[in-house]
Each structure stands twice: as structure tokens, then as C-alpha cells.
Amino acid sequence: MHDSLTLTLSGQSSVLESHYFPPIELDASKNYVLGLIELLTFNSIPNIEKGSDKFYLGDGRSIRIPAGSYEIEDIESLLKDVLLTVENVDFSLKANNNTLRSTLKCGCSIDFRPKDSIGRLLGFTSQVLEANREHISDLPVAILKVNAVRVECNITSGAYINNQRVHTIHEFFPVVPPGFKIIEVPSNVIYLPVSVQCIDSIQLRIVDQDGVLVNFRGETITIRVHIRSI
């Protein structure tokens, strides 16, 4: 029987799972709660990845941008180099921090209609942009693909998002720049009820605000949770 214990799960996937044999038996006469006390990894979350990584020219040709976490100026530098070298075409892409929109000008037409285009990230709706004209994006740039990181645990209950029951035990936003270490240690741990009396396995999932698994691109993720009786 245990009144307090910590479990550490580590791996290179956004789904961490551990099996216990013999199972961890909890005292049936007591109630238990679980909370996240530490999450360690690196901020390698990409805002450009397969499926939304193409910059299409008006003639159908495209430039593929390698998966990664980019600022607007990084995207401008990469595309400018390719377009000048291969096409001898001028290119400019700027972010307006006041309006949160981007301004783009290119020596050839640009097609943001394909589904795998980076147009939405730059704030542009499905459209073709004329050459040699300055275009301001219709929408704010979507440079931050992940607005919230949620940690879910399959053996907890008592959490809701809107009116939906969920298994979220912790939520945060990475405050460190891309490439830096994420050290998430809650100052006030939120404990949720444990829904089982015998723990033979536990699964932790790291998802974004839409419930989609967060892509940490193979970085090691370590999560420590605390279980205690109340």
C-alpha cells in the first residue's frame, strides 16, 4: 500500500507509457489524487512541418521549407536566397508588430491556394498574389502553431475543457525560445482524483490546444507525477 509515490516517465514521443508488474496497489479505503510536478524537454516544436511546408510560385513550382521553428525574418531569408539564386527574383517579407500582419512583395506571382502552402502561417487566405505589388495579409500571422501545451493522464478524472470531460492534469505555454530547455515545474500543483485502485499501467499524452499530439521532433521528454492519498 502506498500513501505517497512519484512516477517518472521518459521517452522520445509525445505519448509516454509505462507498465508496472506487479501492479501498484492503492489502499481501497482511501482516495488518491495525482498531479504533475515536473516536465523537462527542449522547445523543438515546429511551426512549419510536412503538410504545410510549401511556398508556391504562380506557375506551379514550389519551394519546400525544411521542418523547423521559424520567425518571419527566418522565412524571408530562406526564400529570398532561393528566389534570388534560382529565379533571379526579388523577394521581401516583413512582419508588422503593430497590426500582427505580414507584408509581402515578390517579383513573380505567388499561389497560396494549395492546402500545403505556408500562406496561412503568413496570414494570407487562399488566393493568388500578383507580382511586383505589395500585399498585406488578410489575417494576423499564425507563427505560433501551439498556443497551449496540455498534459493528459489516463488514470485521472475531474477535468473539463468547455463542457467536455478530459484527462488534462496540467497546461502551460512554453516561455523559452526554440532550441532552449523547457523546465516546467508548477508552483502550485493541481491534483486531480485517481480513477483506479490498482495501477498496472499509466499513459501520459502531450497535446496542443486542439487535442493534437505536440511534435517535439524526437527530443527526450521526461515527466514526473506525484500520487498521494487525501
Side-chain angles (χ1 to χ4, degrees):
M1 301 295 182
H2 300 272
D3 283 334
S4 176
L5 68 151
T6 60
L7 303 177
T8 300
L9 283 75
S10 188
Q12 294 174 309
S13 166
S14 294
V15 179
L16 303 177
E17 191 166 15
S18 186
H19 297 266
Y20 303 98
F21 185 81
I24 300 170
E25 299 283 351
L26 302 179
D27 190 335
S29 66
K30 298 178 180 179
N31 294 318
Y32 288 82
V33 291
L34 178 150
L36 181 144
I37 56 177
E38 187 177 59
L39 183 152
L40 305 174
T41 189
F42 282 89
N43 186 2
S44 56
I45 304 171
N47 52 13
I48 292 181
E49 53 189 322
K50 187 175 181 180
S52 58
D53 58 350
K54 300 285 185 61
F55 183 83
Y56 286 88
L57 305 181
D59 59 8
R61 289 178 296 170
S62 66
I63 300 169
R64 190 183 70 83
I65 301 176
S69 184
Y70 295 83
E71 299 290 346
I72 290 293
E73 54 265 31
D74 300 325
I75 298 173
E76 181 196 37
S77 178
L78 187 152
L79 292 175
K80 193 171 187 176
D81 286 347
V82 173
L83 288 168
L84 276 175
T85 303
V86 178
E87 307 289 334
N88 195 27
V89 168
D90 288 328
F91 178 80
S92 172
L93 174 67
K94 304 297 180 185
N96 187 320
N97 293 327
N98 296 316
T99 64
L100 302 181
R101 284 164 166 73
S102 66
T103 302
L104 186 156
K105 186 176 182 180
C106 184
C108 60
S109 60
I110 299 166
D111 190 355
F112 283 141
R113 294 175 299 178
K115 290 184 178 180
D116 58 353
S117 165
I118 67 166
R120 178 60 192 94
L121 181 146
L122 302 179
F124 289 90
T125 55
S126 177
Q127 61 184 295
V128 176
L129 304 185
E130 293 181 25
N132 299 310
R133 282 186 55 194
E134 187 172 88
H135 300 273
I136 299 175
S137 65
D138 319 81
L139 304 170
V141 297
I143 202 74
L144 294 177
K145 184 176 180 181
V146 173
N147 293 314
V149 175
R150 293 172 178 160
V151 181
E152 300 178 340
C153 178
N154 68 319
I155 64 169
T156 63
S157 61
Y160 288 80
I161 294 178
N162 295 324
N163 62 345
Q164 299 293 318
R165 290 185 180 182
V166 295
H167 294 284
T168 302
I169 59 173
H170 186 66
E171 181 175 325
F172 71 101
F173 176 78
V175 295
V176 298
F180 285 75
K181 184 135 183 134
I182 294 174
I183 303 175
E184 179 66 11
V185 180
S187 54
N188 294 300
V189 178
I190 296 175
Y191 286 90
L192 292 177
V194 174
S195 58
V196 298
Q197 290 293 332
C198 176
I199 304 174
D200 56 7
S201 67
I202 187 171
Q203 184 187 83
L204 302 176
R205 300 174 76 248
I206 307 173
V207 300
D208 65 14
Q209 66 280 352
D210 299 316
V212 178
L213 289 172
V214 176
N215 180 9
F216 285 96
R217 293 191 284 163
E219 292 288 352
T220 298
I221 304 165
T222 301
I223 299 177
R224 195 156 54 102
V225 297
H226 180 220
I227 298 174
R228 61 179 176 86
S229 63
I230 56 172

